[in-house]
Amino acid sequence: MKVTVVGAGAVGASCAEYIAIKNFASEVVLLDIKEGYAEGKAMDLMQTASLNGFGTKITGITNDYSKTANSDVCVITSGIPRKPGMTREELIGINAGIVKSVSSSLIEFSPKTIIIVVSNPMDTMTYLVHKSTKLPKNKIIGMGGALDSARFKYRLAEALGGPISDVDGMVIGGHSDTGMIPLTRLATRNGVPVSEFLSEERLNQVLEDTKVGGATLTKLLGTSAWYAPGAAVSGMVQAILCDTKKVFPVSALLEGEYGYNDICLGVPVVLGKNGIEEIININLNDAEKATFEESAKGVKAVNDLL
C-alpha cells in the first residue's frame, strides 16, 4: 500500500511519521515544492525506523509527481498555515489555487486514488476538489471532523477528570471556530451520558473550548498545530487501507443527506477500502438542526468566494 503526502511542513511530516509508525503502509512519499525539504524530512524520519520498529519506506521528493504514481491514498496538506488572529477562511485566496493544482497533478499519476484534504479552509477545499476533478464522491474526504472530535474528547476527559479512553464524542458541521458542532447531548463516558457527570454550564464550557481548539493552539504556537492533525489523518488512512469500516466524522459531499445538497460538511461516515463507504444520518434535535443550518450557511458563504 502506497500513500502520498503533499506538503512536508509540520502537518505533512507528522502525517508521514504516524502512518509509518503504525506500520500498515509499504511506502510513504513525502512531496514538497521546496528544493530538498521533503528529502531532508524523509531522511530524518527514516533514521527513526530502527528505533521505532517500523518497516515503512519514506521517500522525499521535490515537486516530481511521477514519483507518486499508483498511490492508494493521497493526503493534501499543502498551502499556508494559520497565524495568530487568522481565521481558516482567510487562507482561501492562496490555498485554493494550490489545492486545485496539487489534486490535478496527483490524479494524473494515480487516477484511482482516494484524496484526503487537510488544507484550510478545509470544507471549501474539499468542495473544490469535488468540483475540479472527476473522482467519485466517495473518494474525496475532508479531515476536519476527526481532529475536532479528538479535541472534543480531550476537553471532555479534562472536565471529567478521567481517562480519555473512557470518553466518546463527536463533532459535526463545518471545520471552523464558529461552524463546528460538538454533540454534547450524545457524548458518553463508558456508555453513560456525560450530562450525568457534568453540569450544563461545564458542558457548555467544554463545547466552547472545543470550538476554539485550533485558534487556542495557534495563539500558543504562533502557527497551526501538527501532532493531532497528523494523528487524525493517519487514523483515517489506516481505516481506508486496512478496510476497518471505522466510523469517523469527516467532510463529505452531501446529496440529500441531512437535507443538504452540493456542499461539503462534517458528518459521520464509515471509512473502508472504497473511501466513504456510507454516510450515517444522526437524528438531530431541533437545536442541533438549527446550529447545523448556521454552519452550512457559513461554509456556503466561503464556497461562494471560489
Side-chain angles (χ1 to χ4, degrees):
M1 294 294 185
K2 182 176 180 179
V3 181
T4 288
V5 179
V6 181
V11 173
S14 181
C15 291
E17 179 180 17
Y18 286 128
I19 291 167
I21 285 175
K22 291 180 178 180
N23 219 20
F24 59 83
S26 55
E27 182 181 6
V28 176
V29 175
L30 192 57
L31 184 146
D32 201 275
I33 196 169
K34 185 178 177 182
E35 186 71 38
Y37 192 63
E39 289 87 341
K41 288 284 186 85
M43 186 182 296
D44 193 14
L45 285 169
M46 281 303 295
Q47 289 170 4
T48 73
S50 63
L51 301 168
N52 287 324
F54 65 81
T56 303
K57 178 185 177 183
I58 307 172
T59 306
I61 300 296
T62 300
N63 220 31
D64 181 0
Y65 283 86
S66 68
K67 298 294 196 300
T68 71
N70 302 313
S71 292
D72 297 283
V73 177
C74 294
V75 182
I76 302 176
T77 75
S78 42
I80 59 168
R82 279 208 287 180
K83 292 182 171 57
M86 289 181 74
T87 66
R88 294 178 178 92
E89 291 74 20
E90 289 177 87
L91 304 174
I92 187 170
I94 296 172
N95 287 358
I98 295 171
V99 169
K100 186 175 180 181
S101 171
V102 166
S103 57
S104 174
S105 297
L106 289 170
I107 292 168
E108 179 183 354
F109 293 98
S110 302
K112 295 182 179 180
T113 196
I114 293 167
I115 289 181
I116 296 176
V117 180
V118 181
S119 308
N120 281 314
M122 189 276 305
D123 297 292
T124 296
M125 294 300 97
T126 305
Y127 181 74
L128 175 62
V129 176
H130 278 285
K131 290 298 176 183
S132 62
T133 72
K134 294 181 179 179
L135 281 182
K137 60 173 282 188
N138 58 295
K139 290 193 168 192
I140 303 169
I141 310 166
M143 181 276 287
L147 170 61
D148 297 333
S149 297
R151 288 173 171 165
F152 182 34
K153 286 181 268 193
Y154 161 73
R155 288 299 187 186
L156 282 169
E158 179 184 54
L160 290 163
I164 206 162
S165 57
D166 273 5
V167 175
D168 199 14
M170 182 184 297
V171 177
I172 62 171
H175 181 56
S176 70
D177 299 349
T178 56
M180 68 178 74
I181 307 164
L183 293 173
T184 53
R185 179 177 64 90
L186 301 179
T188 61
R189 179 181 187 178
N190 266 354
V192 181
V194 294
S195 56
E196 297 287 330
F197 304 96
L198 301 174
S199 67
E200 184 178 352
E201 181 183 9
R202 188 67 181 94
L203 262 179
N204 282 334
Q205 186 62 53
V206 167
L207 183 148
E208 293 302 326
D209 287 345
T210 300
K211 289 170 69 174
V212 296
T216 301
L217 286 162
T218 300
K219 186 177 180 181
L220 290 168
L221 297 168
T223 187
S224 296
W226 56 89
Y227 293 124
V233 169
S234 72
M236 293 168 64
V237 174
Q238 185 174 24
I240 293 166
L241 293 187
C242 299
D243 195 27
T244 63
K245 304 296 196 290
K246 187 175 173 66
V247 173
F248 284 90
V250 306
S251 189
L253 182 67
L254 301 183
E255 293 180 331
E257 298 90 354
Y258 293 85
Y260 292 88
N261 285 283
D262 195 39
I263 190 171
C264 291
L265 282 170
V267 293
V269 307
V270 176
L271 289 183
K273 64 182 179 182
N274 298 307
I276 296 175
E277 304 278 352
E278 177 188 354
I279 293 177
I280 301 168
N281 276 287
I282 303 175
N283 290 320
L284 302 176
N285 63 27
D286 289 343
E288 290 158 351
K289 286 178 181 176
T291 311
F292 197 84
E293 182 178 358
E294 287 304 309
S295 181
K297 286 179 181 177
V299 172
K300 180 66 165 58
V302 182
N303 289 353
D304 288 343
L305 298 175
L306 289 172

